[in-house]
Amino acid sequence: MSTREELQVPKADFQSYYGRPILKEPTWKVPDVPLYLFLGGMAGTSATMAALADLTGREGLARTGRYAAALGSTASVVALVHDLHRPTRFLNMLRVFKPTSPLSVGSWILAPFSGAAGAAAVSTLTGVLPAWGRAAGVASGVLGPALSTYTAVLLADTAIPAWHEYHRELPFVFGGSALASGAGAALLAAPPAELAPARRMAVLGAGIELAAATRIERGDGIVGEPYRTGRPRRLMAAGRILTGVGAGLALAGRRSRLVSDRNARLLSAAAGASLLAGGLCTRFGVFYAGRVSAADPKYVVVPQRERAEAAAAGKAGGTTGPGSPPSPGSPPSPGSPPR
């Protein structure tokens, strides 16, 4: 574009009618829904960790995981019900099962998971019906991965640009964050002798979360801009730092000749607190980025224009490119079958 053209064509400000946003901003309340996202993820990975720990004879780690899963899922349901205003609205979502609706599928994951996780925790705490308690723990462990990641699908399935555009990355952000958060809960409360699996979970989860979040924040498209500005940027940066520090402390807290048992315990507790805080910041950052993208029309208009222009360019190129069908009236190419 020449300098003259730049002067004659003003920069588009993407104003909509009456200055109203093109998309309706999510009415989900803060902190209810970000907490619901965070607690559900932590509960899901804690339940799976507890089930695997039970199978491998790590009773202390299994006990901590069951308590974390029960507390996390219960608090998650409370946050969701508070956002819905009335418990009956949550119950109404269970009247039907719609496989094409992430909200319906998520409700049918959350409800049985919470019941199974609660039963496993009560059995562990009281010693009543241990066989049924273990079965409930296995059931919640099987549902754990779905509970940890379905909320990412729930967000990506909306029309909110900052969520929908990154439908490939968000499940990895949420899954990695959930792994790190579940490990954080274990590092805070499980016996030190059984923390090796939790440390591996912390490093793996932090790696997945940081890689996916970095891919979003460094993306070229304008839709990634909300993640790089204002409050979402600060929250995502805080989540990245806390998660990275937590993973490092989890490794540093391993029992060895260089680290005393007391220091190892302190390092593990600090790692757990840092991982949990990092996961919380990441969920809040993703949530606020969605709100920012819904409020500004440019995050809706610019990607639509880019997609339309790309489709038009592809269509124009497709009619003249090699292998494209001949247009009516055009001479046959050498070697083509006779008409």
Side-chain angles (χ1 to χ4, degrees), residues 37 148-157 163 167 170-172 174-175:
L37 302 176
S148 301
T149 53
Y150 92 89
T151 48
V153 180
L154 179 66
L155 296 185
D157 195 50
W163 297 340
H167 61 277
L170 277 183
F172 290 97
F174 279 35

Side-chain angles (χ1 to χ4, degrees), residues 220-281:
D220 294 332
I222 191 174
V223 183
E225 190 175 274
Y227 291 97
R228 302 189 292 267
T229 57
R231 180 185 291 177
R233 181 189 67 81
R234 294 192 294 273
L235 287 167
M236 295 296 288
R240 187 167 57 247
I241 293 171
L242 288 167
T243 301
V245 169
L249 290 175
L251 290 177
R254 289 178 296 182
R255 302 175 71 183
S256 66
R257 294 179 181 177
L258 300 177
V259 181
S260 65
D261 289 349
R262 181 175 180 276
N263 288 338
R265 185 62 188 166
L266 290 175
L267 287 171
S268 297
S274 183
L275 289 169
L276 289 170
L280 192 61
C281 288

